[in-house]
C-alpha cells in the first residue's frame, strides 16, 4: 500500500517513537506508537482541538493532567467477560484506574475553556462503589483481606490459633531436645511445620521426615505430636483458598457486568493521554497549531503566456470554447510555513548531539500546483521534501507543526511520496524502474483505483529478453506501465471540453525526489515534464527535486509552476541548506566532486566539456543569488532595527509608567502629610477650646485664641508659607564655555559683558563680539539682561501699586472673633412656655454681650416654642442675626444668636 510505504519513507514510525516518550501510561505509549492518520478533516479538527486544550492545561499552574494510578486493564476486562477469574493484582489495577480516571475528570471539570476535553471526560463512568468494594476486599498487597467476608475472617482466626499451638509444641521440643536439633528454628516443608534435626540423632525426635539438606546432615522432621494439628491446618488452608476464590469471583462478576463502560473508560483515558503527549511534544518542539486553508471557488486555469497571441488571433473560435479551459479550485490563501524544522533532526540535535537544524521557509502562492526544487547534491533538497511531508502528516494527525506562527497549510486527503531508491536485484528492478513503479502506484491512488489492481501492476515480472538489453529498453518498459499513457487515464487536452461534473477536486500532496532520474537525461526530462504537468491538474500540490534544466523553465511557461533552490556558498564551497524561492539552483556537481576528494585534474578537464551556455546560465543564477543575499541582509538589518526600536519603546513605556507610579506615590505622601498637618492643627485648636472653656471666658481670651489660630494656619497651610527664593540667574565670566544657538557653536568667553551688554568670545580660530541675549549656558540657562531686569521691576511696581489701590478702596475689616460655646453663653428653654421663655432670653442676652453670641436650646418637639423664640429675637434691638445650629451642635433644636 503506497500510503503505508509513504509513512516509512517519511520516517513517520520514528516520529511516533519520539511522541511515545511523552505519554504517561502504557496505554498512551501503545497508542502513540501506532498513531493513526485521520481519514476526514472533521476527525483532524477534533484531534487538534484536544491537543490545543491539553496544551492550555499544561501551560496553566496546577492545571496539568495527572494519570497516576491508571493502568492497562484491557486484558483483565476481556478475561472477566469470558468468565475467567481475576487475580488480586488485576482487581487492584482496576480500582486504581477508576480512581485515576475520576481524578482526571475532576481536574478537567474544574478548568475553563476546554469544552472538547470536558465532553470526553463526561463519558467517564468511574463506578466508585465498585472501587470501594475492591479496596474493601483486596488489601494493598493485592491479597484478599480478612474483612472481605465474616467466614474468611473466622477461618483465619482459627488458623492463627492453630499456628500458635503448633509453635508452642515445637518450641518445647526444641528446648528439650536441643542437642538433637541442628538449630533453634521452626520452618515449613510441603505446607507443614517441621524442625531441623541432626541426621545421626533422628530417633531422638520421632516423627515424619519431609525433607533433608543438600549434605544430608540435616533432616526436617514433623514430630508425631503435631501431625494432627498440621492436618487441621491444611484443611483450614484449603477453606481459606476457597473463600478467597469466592471473593475474587464475586468481584470479577461485578467487573464483567460493567465491562462496556470500563472499555469506554480505557478508550477515553488513552485519548486524553495521547492528547497530553501531543501537547507536551509540541511544547518541547516549540511548535505551533496549524490552520487549514480551504479551497476557493472554481476558476479558469491560467493561460499559457506563450500562446496568448495565438489565442487572440483565433477570436472567433474562442467564443464557442468557454469549456475548452479547465476549471480549477485554488486555495483561499497562500501556504505559510516559516522557519519550518524537521522534528527528527531537532530530536537528533538535542538528544544525540547532532548538527544544528537549519529551518526552511515555505511560502507557496494559492495558484501554485508544482514546485521544482533544484540545487547541489547534499544541499538539503530531500530533507526539505521530508520536512514538508512530516509537517502535513503531523497537522493531519492533530499535532502542532514545528514552524513559526502563523502555520497555514491545506488538509491533504493523501500524502504520497517517492523518495529514495527502490532498486532490487531480486525483483529485477533498476533505479529508474523502481521510481516508475512507485509513481504508478501514486497515480493509481490519485484516481481511486483499487489496491489489488495497484499491487498487481506493481509486481509485473520482467522477462530475460528484456534484461538482455536492460540499459536500452529500461525507459520504454517502465514508462509503458504508467497510467498516464493508458487510454482510460489520458491527460485531458485543452481542445476537449470538460463539464463541471467531470471537474477533478485534487487535495493530495505528492513528493517526488529526483523525478525522471536514472535513465537517459533527454528521455528522463521529457517524462518528468509530462508527469509534472499531469500532477499539476490532478494533485493539490506537488513538490519535486530535480537536476534537469528543462524543468526549471516550466515556471516561465505555466504560472502554476514555481522554482526553488537550495543555497550554495561559493566562498566556503559548502551548502547552507537554506531554501531560496523564485530562483533556479545550480547543481555545482564539479565543485562538490572536488570537495569530496576527486582528482583536481579530472575536475578541470570536466570543466572544459561544460557548454558555454550552461556557464552563462550559472553565472546569471549566481548573480541572482548574490543579489538575493544582499536583500536578505538588508531585511535582517531592518528587522534588527525594528526590534531595537520596539525595545526602546518598551523601555520608554516602562520608564513613563515608573514616573507615573512615582507621581502617584508622591501624591499619596503629600496627602498623608496634609492629613497629619490637619490632625496636628485640630489637636492644637482643641487644646485652645478646652482652655477657654475651663477658664474665665472674656473677649480678651477669645482674641488670644484667634491669634493662636492664625499662628497655626501660618505653620500648616502651604499658602501662608514663604515661597522659595529664586535661583540666581546665569552670568558668563571669563573662561566659561557658552553656546551660541544662532550659530550652532560653542565658544569660550574672552571678556565679560560691558555696559552695552556685549562680550567677546572665541570658537576655533575665530573671535567675535556677541550680545548677552544671544548666548546661553551649556545646560540651557539664559542670562538676565538689563531690559529683562527693568521689565521685571516694572511688573513688580505695577503689582504693588494695584494692591495698594485695592487696599485703599476696600474698608478695613475687623479681625473675626471665634465664637465658642460655654455654659455662660448658653440657655436651655426646653419645656418652658413662650411667655416665660421671652423673659429668660432677655436676661441671657444682657449677660452674653461680652461673648457676642448666645446659644438657645429650645428642642424640636412640635416647633411652637422655636417659632415663638424666633419671633421674639426678630424684634429684639440687641440681636444682629440668628440661625439654627449645625447638626453636630443640635440642628433644629438649637438657635445661635449673634449680638450687635
Amino acid at each position: 500500500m503506497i500510503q503505508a510505504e509513504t509513512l516509512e519513507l517519511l520516517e513517520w514510525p520514528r516520529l511516533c517513537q519520539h511522541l511515545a516518550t511523552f505519554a504517561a501510561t502504557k496505554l498512551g505509549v501503545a497508542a502513540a506508537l501506532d498513531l493513526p492518520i485521520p481519514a476526514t478533516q472533521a476527525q483532524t479538527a477534533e484531534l487538534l482541538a484536544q491537543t490545543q486544550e491539553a496544551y492550555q492545561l499544561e501551560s496553566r499552574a496546577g492545571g496539568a493532567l495527572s494519570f497516576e494510578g491508571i493502568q492497562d486493564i484491557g486484558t483483565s476486562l476481556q478475561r472477566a467477560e469470558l468468565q475467567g477469574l481475576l487475580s488480586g493484582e488485576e482487581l487492584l489495577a482496576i480500582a486504581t484506574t477508576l480512581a485515576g480516571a475520576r481524578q482526571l475528570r475532576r481536574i478537567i471539570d474544574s478548568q475553563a475553556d476546554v469544552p472538547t476535553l470536558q465532553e470526553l471526560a463526561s463519558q467517564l463512568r468511574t463506578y466508585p462503589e465498585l472501587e470501594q468494594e475492591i479496596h474493601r476486599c483486596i488489601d494493598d498487597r493485592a491479597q484478599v483481606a480478612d474483612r472481605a467476608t465474616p467466614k474468611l475472617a473466622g477461618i483465619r482466626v482459627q488458623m492463627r490459633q492453630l499456628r500458635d499451638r503448633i509453635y508452642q509444641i515445637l518450641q518445647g521440643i526444641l528446648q528439650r531436645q536441643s542437642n538433637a536439633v541442628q538449630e533453634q528454628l521452626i520452618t515449613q516443608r510441603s505446607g507443614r511445620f517441621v524442625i531441623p534435626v541432626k541426621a545421626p540423632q533422628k530417633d531422638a525426635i520421632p516423627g515424619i521426615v519431609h525433607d533433608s539438606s543438600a549434605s544430608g546432615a540435616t533432616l526436617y522432621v514433623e514430630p508425631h505430636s503435631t501431625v494432627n494439628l498440621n492436618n487441621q491446618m491444611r484443611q483450614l488452608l484449603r477453606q481459606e483458598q476457597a473463600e478467597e476464590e469466592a471473593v475474587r469471583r464475586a468481584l470479577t462478576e461485578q467487573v464483567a457486568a460493567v465491562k462496556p463502560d470500563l472499555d469506554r473508560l480505557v478508550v477515553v483515558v488513552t485519548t486524553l493521554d495521547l492528547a497530553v503527549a501531543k501537547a507536551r511534544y509540541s511544547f518541547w518542539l516549540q511548535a505551533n497549531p496549524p490552520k487549514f486553508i480551504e479551497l476557493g471557488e472554481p476558476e479558469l486555469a491560467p493561460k499559457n503566456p506563450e500562446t496568448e497571441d495565438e489565442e487572440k488571433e483565433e477570436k472567433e473560435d474562442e467564443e464557442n470554447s468557454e469549456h475548452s479551459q479547465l476549471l480549477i479550485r485554488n486555495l483561499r490563501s497562500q501556504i505559510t510555513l516559516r522557519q519550518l524544522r524537521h522534528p527528527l533532526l531537532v530530536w537528533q540535535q538535542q538528544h544525540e548531539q547532532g548538527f544544528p537544524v537549519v529551518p526552511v521557509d515555505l511560502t507557496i502562492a494559492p495558484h501554485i500546483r508544482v514546485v521544482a526544487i533544484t540545487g547541489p547534491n547534499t544541499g538539503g533538497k530531500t530533507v526539505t521534501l521530508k520536512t514538508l511531508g512530516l509537517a502535513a502528516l503531523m497537522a493531519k494527525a492533530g499535532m502542532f507543526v514545528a514552524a513559526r506562527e502563523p502555520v497555514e497549510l491545506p488538509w491533504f486527503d493523501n500524502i504520497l511520496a517517492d523518495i529514495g531508491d527502490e532498486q532490487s536485484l531480486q525483483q529485477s528492478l533498476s533505479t529508474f524502474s523502481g521510481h516508475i513503479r512507485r509513481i504508478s502506484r501514486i497515480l493509481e491512488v490519485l484516481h481511486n483505483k483499487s489496491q489489488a489492481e495497484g499491487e498487481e501492476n506493481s509486481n509485473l515480472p520482467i522477462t530475460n529478453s528484456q534484461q538482455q538489453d536492460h540499459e536500452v529498453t529500461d525507459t520504454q518498459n517502465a514508462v509503458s506501465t504508467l497510467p498516464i499513457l493508458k487510454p482510460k487515464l489520458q491527460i485531458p487536452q485543452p481542445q476537449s471540453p470538460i463539464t463541471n461534473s467531470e471537474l477533478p477536486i485534487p487535495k493530495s500532496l505528492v513528493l517526488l525526489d529526483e523525478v525522471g532520474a536514472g535513465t537517459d537525461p533527454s528521455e528522463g526530462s521529457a517524462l518528468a515534464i509530462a508527469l509534472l504537468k499531469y500532477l499539476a491538474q490532478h494533485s493539490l500540490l506537488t513538490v519535486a527535486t530535480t537536476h534537469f534544466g528543462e524543468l526549471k523553465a516550466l515556471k516561465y511557461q505555466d504560472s502554476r509552476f514555481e522554482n526553488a533552490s537550495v543555497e550554495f556558498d561559493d566562498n566556503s564551497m559548502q551548502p547552507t541548506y537554506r531554501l531560496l524561492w523564485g530562483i533556479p539552483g545550480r547543481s555545482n556537481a564539479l565543485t562538490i566532486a572536488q570537495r569530496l576528494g576527486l582528482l583536481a585534474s579530472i575536475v578541470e578537464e570536466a570543466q572544459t566539456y561544460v557548454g558555454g551556455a550552461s556557464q552563462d546560465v550559472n553565472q546569471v543564477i549566481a548573480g541572482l543569488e548574490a543579489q538575493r543575499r544582499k536583500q536578505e541582509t538588508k531585511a535582517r538589518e531592518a528587522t534588527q532595527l525594528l526590534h531595537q526600536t520596539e525595545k526602546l519603546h518598551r523601555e520608554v513605556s516602562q520608564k513613563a509608567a515608573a514616573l507615573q507610579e512615582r507621581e502617584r506615590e508622591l501624591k499619596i505622601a503629600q496627602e498623608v502629610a496634609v492629613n497629619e498637618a490637619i490632625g496636628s492643627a485640630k489637636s492644637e485648636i482643641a487644646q485652645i477650646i478646652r482652655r477657654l472653656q475651663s477658664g474665665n471666658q472674656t473677649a480678651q481670651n477669645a482674641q488670644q485664641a484667634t491669634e493662636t489660630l492664625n499662628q497655626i494656619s501660618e505653620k500648616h497651610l502651604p499658602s501662608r508659607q514663604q515661597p522659595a527664593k529664586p535661583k540666581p540667574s546665569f552670568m558668563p565670566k571669563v573662561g566659561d564655555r557658552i553656546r551660541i544657538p544662532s550659530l550652532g557653536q560653542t565658544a569660550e568667553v574672552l571678556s565679560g559683558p560691558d555696559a552695552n551688554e556685549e562680550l567677546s568670545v572665541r570658537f576655533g580660530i575665530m573671535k567675535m563680539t556677541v550680545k548677552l541675549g544671544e548666548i546661553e549656558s551649556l545646560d540651557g540657562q539664559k542670562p538676565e539682561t538689563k531690559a529683562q531686569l527693568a521689565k521685571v521691576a516694572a511688573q513688580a511696581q505695577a503689582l504693588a501699586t494695584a494692591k495698594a489701590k485695592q487696599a485703599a478702596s476696600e474698608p478695613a475689616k475687623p479681625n473675626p472673633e471665634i465664637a465658642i460655646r460655654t455654659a455662660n453663653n448658653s440657655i436651655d428653654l426646653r419645656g418652658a412656655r413662650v411667655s416665660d421663655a421671652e423673659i429668660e432670653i432677655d436676661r441671657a442676652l444682657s449677660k452674653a454681650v461680652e461673648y457676642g453670641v448666645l446659644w438657645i436650646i429650645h428642642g424640636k418637639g412640635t416647633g411652637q416654642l422655636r417659632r415663638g423664640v424666633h419671633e421674639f429675637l426678630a424684634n429684639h434691638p440687641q440681636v444682629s442675626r440668628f440661625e439654627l445650629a449645625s447638626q453636630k451642635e443640635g440642628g433644629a433644636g438649637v438657635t445661635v444668636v449673634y449680638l450687635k
Side-chain angles (χ1 to χ4, degrees):
M1 190 175 181
I2 187 62
Q3 289 90 340
E5 190 176 353
T6 296
L7 296 181
E8 292 290 338
L9 292 174
L10 296 177
E11 301 181 85
W12 177 254
R14 187 178 164 201
L15 184 140
C16 292
Q17 291 176 2
H18 296 169
L19 174 64
T21 61
F22 292 89
T25 66
K26 292 182 179 180
L27 297 168
V29 171
L33 290 176
D34 191 22
L35 187 65
I37 305 297
T40 64
Q41 188 171 351
Q43 295 175 351
T44 296
E46 183 178 1
L47 293 176
L48 192 58
Q50 295 172 6
T51 305
Q52 288 177 310
E53 293 179 6
Y55 191 93
Q56 294 176 13
L57 293 183
E58 290 292 316
S59 304
R60 296 175 185 172
L65 298 182
S66 172
F67 294 86
E68 184 179 359
I70 295 177
Q71 302 181 41
D72 186 1
I73 60 174
T75 305
S76 302
L77 296 179
Q78 292 178 0
R79 189 159 65 256
E81 186 181 28
L82 298 175
Q83 298 182 355
L85 183 62
L86 299 182
S87 65
E89 290 83 358
E90 291 174 317
L91 291 169
L92 200 59
I94 292 174
T96 57
T97 300
L98 291 174
R102 188 180 305 109
Q103 178 66 16
L104 269 178
R105 187 176 61 188
R106 187 179 296 114
I107 295 175
I108 294 174
D109 290 341
S110 65
Q111 300 295 324
D113 303 329
V114 286
T116 305
L117 296 186
Q118 288 177 348
E119 182 180 357
L120 268 177
S122 65
Q123 304 175 23
L124 293 173
R125 296 195 61 185
T126 57
Y127 291 100
E129 65 280 0
L130 176 58
E131 176 196 346
Q132 294 174 3
E133 182 65 13
I134 293 176
H135 281 302
R136 187 185 70 83
C137 297
I138 308 296
D139 59 20
D140 296 337
R141 296 173 298 132
Q143 301 295 324
V144 180
D146 293 352
R147 59 181 176 271
T149 63
K151 182 178 179 181
L152 180 61
I155 292 173
R156 289 182 174 173
V157 169
Q158 296 179 33
M159 291 176 65
R160 283 193 290 272
Q161 294 174 352
L162 192 57
R163 186 182 298 110
D164 292 341
R165 290 178 56 191
I166 294 174
Y167 264 74
Q168 184 178 3
I169 294 172
L170 293 180
Q171 285 289 353
I173 295 174
L174 289 175
Q175 293 176 3
R176 291 193 303 271
Q177 303 291 340
S178 58
N179 295 330
V181 298
Q182 193 72 28
E183 58 180 320
Q184 298 288 323
L185 175 66
I186 299 175
T187 184
Q188 282 186 323
R189 288 294 185 273
S190 302
R192 305 180 74 88
F193 291 97
V194 297
I195 56 177
V197 179
K198 297 176 182 178
Q201 302 183 21
K202 64 178 181 178
D203 296 334
I205 303 177
I208 302 172
V209 177
H210 288 279
D211 197 5
S212 63
S213 63
S215 62
T218 304
L219 301 177
Y220 294 94
V221 178
E222 178 186 6
H224 291 306
S225 56
T226 61
V227 171
N228 290 332
L229 296 177
N230 273 322
N231 291 338
Q232 296 178 26
M233 180 64 73
R234 293 296 297 271
Q235 293 175 1
L236 290 175
L237 184 60
R238 282 192 293 269
Q239 294 176 16
E240 179 192 30
Q241 293 174 350
E243 189 63 22
E244 288 179 351
E245 182 176 339
V247 171
R248 290 189 285 114
R249 174 71 63 185
L251 294 175
T252 302
E253 291 175 353
Q254 294 184 40
V255 170
V258 295
K259 178 184 179 294
D261 291 335
L262 296 186
D263 284 336
R264 183 58 188 166
L265 180 143
V266 171
V267 172
V268 171
V269 169
T270 304
T271 304
L272 291 173
D273 189 14
L274 190 57
V276 172
K278 292 177 183 177
R280 292 171 179 172
Y281 182 53
S282 301
F283 183 82
W284 172 85
L285 200 56
Q286 297 181 357
N288 290 295
K291 177 183 177 183
F292 293 111
I293 309 171
E294 300 296 334
L295 290 174
E297 296 299 325
E299 300 177 359
L300 285 176
K303 297 179 180 180
N304 214 343
E306 297 181 356
T307 61
E308 285 185 359
D309 296 336
E310 298 177 2
E311 292 180 358
K312 289 179 182 179
E313 295 175 359
E314 299 175 357
K315 231 175 186 181
E316 63 280 358
D317 297 336
E318 193 175 308
E319 294 176 359
N320 300 324
S321 62
E322 291 183 358
H323 297 287
S324 62
Q325 283 184 281
L326 287 176
L327 292 174
I328 62 173
R329 296 179 67 180
N330 292 329
L331 297 173
R332 296 185 183 274
S333 60
Q334 68 177 9
I335 298 175
T336 304
L337 295 170
R338 293 189 177 92
Q339 300 294 302
L340 179 63
R341 292 165 291 132
H342 196 298
L344 302 184
L345 294 181
V346 176
W347 183 280
Q348 183 177 346
Q349 176 193 358
Q350 299 196 16
H351 290 274
E352 302 173 12
Q353 298 181 351
F355 294 101
V357 180
V358 179
V360 296
D361 291 334
L362 295 175
T363 306
I364 304 174
H367 67 278
I368 297 298
R369 291 299 179 86
V370 179
V371 177
I373 302 178
T374 54
N377 293 307
T378 70
K381 299 190 297 296
T382 304
V383 173
T384 301
L385 289 184
K386 291 187 175 182
T387 304
L388 175 58
L390 278 179
L393 284 173
M394 293 172 69
K396 194 173 180 181
M399 301 171 65
F400 289 7
V401 178
R404 193 181 66 189
E405 285 189 309
V407 179
E408 299 178 343
L409 74 166
W411 187 89
F412 298 104
D413 55 3
N414 283 304
I415 301 170
L416 309 168
D418 172 33
I419 300 175
D421 193 352
E422 202 184 14
Q423 183 178 9
S424 173
L425 295 178
Q426 294 179 350
Q427 300 181 13
S428 300
L429 291 178
S430 67
T431 299
F432 181 76
S433 300
H435 280 295
I436 293 300
R437 291 189 182 279
R438 192 180 285 160
I439 291 173
S440 299
R441 295 193 292 272
I442 290 175
L443 296 180
E444 289 168 1
V445 172
L446 293 180
H447 289 275
N448 297 322
K449 281 197 170 186
S450 65
Q451 182 61 29
E453 184 180 353
E455 291 293 334
E456 180 182 354
N457 290 337
S458 65
N459 294 323
L460 289 177
I462 298 178
T463 62
N464 293 333
S465 60
Q466 291 175 323
Q467 296 181 18
Q468 291 175 358
D469 198 8
H470 191 70
E471 295 298 330
V472 177
T473 62
D474 191 17
T475 304
Q476 290 82 353
N477 292 332
V479 172
S480 64
T481 65
L482 277 174
I484 61 174
L485 299 183
K486 297 179 181 179
K488 60 180 178 180
L489 296 177
Q490 287 182 350
I491 301 176
Q493 299 298 325
Q495 297 89 325
S496 59
I498 291 182
T499 63
N500 287 338
S501 62
E502 300 172 349
L503 176 66
I505 305 178
K507 292 196 70 175
S508 297
L509 171 65
V510 180
L511 306 172
L512 302 177
D513 189 23
E514 300 295 348
V515 59
T519 186
D520 179 73
S522 60
E523 293 183 349
S525 62
L527 179 61
I529 291 174
L531 177 62
L532 293 182
K533 285 188 174 181
Y534 180 79
L535 291 174
Q537 189 61 44
H538 291 82
S539 68
L540 182 58
L541 178 64
T542 300
V543 182
T545 66
T546 182
H547 286 284
F548 294 135
E550 292 81 358
L551 269 64
K552 304 175 186 178
L554 289 176
K555 171 186 177 180
Y556 309 103
Q557 302 172 7
D558 192 332
S559 61
R560 295 174 300 173
F561 285 73
E562 180 59 279
N563 283 332
S565 60
V566 287
E567 189 180 35
F568 188 82
D569 190 349
D570 293 328
N571 297 325
S572 63
M573 297 298 175
Q574 296 279 347
T576 63
Y577 305 106
R578 295 176 62 244
L579 195 63
L580 305 179
W581 287 88
I583 300 177
R586 298 170 290 156
S587 295
N588 296 101
L590 300 181
T591 303
I592 294 175
Q594 185 175 3
R595 179 173 62 86
L596 295 177
L598 192 63
L599 290 176
S601 58
I602 298 177
V603 176
E604 292 174 0
E605 185 175 357
Q607 193 71 42
T608 61
Y609 299 137
V610 179
S614 177
Q615 290 182 350
D616 294 340
V617 171
N618 286 337
Q619 289 178 0
V620 171
I621 294 175
L624 292 174
E625 291 177 353
Q627 184 178 2
R628 185 180 185 117
R629 283 194 294 269
K630 189 179 298 182
Q631 292 176 350
E632 289 178 349
T633 301
K634 291 182 179 180
R636 283 195 299 270
E637 292 175 354
T639 302
Q640 292 177 358
L641 182 60
L642 178 61
H643 290 337
Q644 292 175 359
T645 305
E646 292 175 349
K647 180 181 179 182
L648 181 61
H649 179 266
R650 286 195 299 270
E651 292 177 354
V652 171
S653 300
Q654 292 174 357
K655 289 182 179 179
L659 289 175
Q660 291 178 354
E661 180 66 19
R662 176 61 179 166
E663 182 180 1
R664 188 181 67 83
E665 293 176 354
L666 288 175
K667 287 182 178 179
I668 294 175
Q670 289 175 355
E671 290 179 1
V672 171
V674 169
N675 290 332
E676 292 178 352
I678 292 174
S680 176
K682 287 182 177 179
S683 176
E684 295 181 9
I685 292 172
Q687 291 178 2
I688 294 172
I689 293 174
R690 284 195 297 271
R691 189 165 58 249
L692 286 173
Q693 291 176 345
S694 61
N696 186 16
Q697 291 81 14
T698 62
Q700 183 178 4
N701 292 337
Q703 181 64 29
Q704 291 178 354
T706 301
E707 293 176 355
T708 304
L709 291 176
N710 289 334
Q711 293 176 1
I712 293 174
S713 65
E714 293 287 346
K715 177 180 178 182
H716 293 288
L717 292 179
S719 59
R720 303 290 185 89
Q721 297 177 2
Q722 293 294 330
K725 294 183 178 180
K727 295 183 180 178
S729 60
F730 166 70
M731 183 58 65
K733 300 187 295 296
V734 177
D736 288 351
R737 299 286 297 178
I738 53 95
R739 182 183 292 109
I740 306 175
S742 61
L743 301 178
Q745 297 286 340
T746 58
E748 179 184 358
V749 178
L750 299 179
S751 63
D754 54 13
N756 296 326
E757 294 187 341
E758 295 181 348
L759 64 159
S760 299
V761 298
R762 177 177 62 193
F763 54 91
I765 59 174
M766 296 184 59
K767 294 183 180 179
M768 65 182 302
T769 301
V770 295
K771 289 288 188 180
L772 187 63
E774 297 177 353
I775 68 170
E776 64 181 17
S777 65
L778 296 181
D779 58 357
Q781 295 185 20
K782 291 284 188 179
E784 288 188 355
T785 62
K786 292 181 179 179
Q788 292 175 340
L789 293 175
K791 183 178 179 180
V792 171
Q795 291 176 348
Q797 182 65 30
L799 182 61
T801 304
K803 287 184 177 180
K805 289 181 179 180
Q806 182 179 5
S809 61
E810 293 181 356
K813 296 181 180 180
N815 290 333
E817 294 185 355
I818 303 300
I820 300 174
R821 178 179 175 180
T822 64
N824 295 327
N825 59 357
S826 299
I827 181 174
D828 190 350
L829 300 177
R830 287 176 292 184
R833 297 176 180 271
V834 175
S835 57
D836 296 336
E838 291 177 353
I839 298 173
E840 295 295 332
I841 291 173
D842 189 59
R843 293 176 183 173
L845 289 174
S846 301
K847 295 180 180 178
V849 172
E850 58 179 331
Y851 300 107
V853 62
L854 175 67
W855 275 265
I856 301 175
I857 304 172
H858 44 68
K860 297 179 181 178
T862 60
Q864 185 68 28
L865 179 60
R866 182 178 69 248
R867 285 192 294 272
V869 169
H870 287 181
E871 291 176 358
F872 178 76
L873 293 174
N875 299 319
H876 200 284
Q878 289 183 282
V879 176
S880 174
R881 59 186 178 88
F882 60 90
E883 60 185 11
L884 293 176
S886 61
Q887 287 295 330
K888 64 181 180 180
E889 292 184 339
V894 178
T895 297
V896 182
V897 183
Y898 296 94
L899 305 181
K900 294 181 179 178

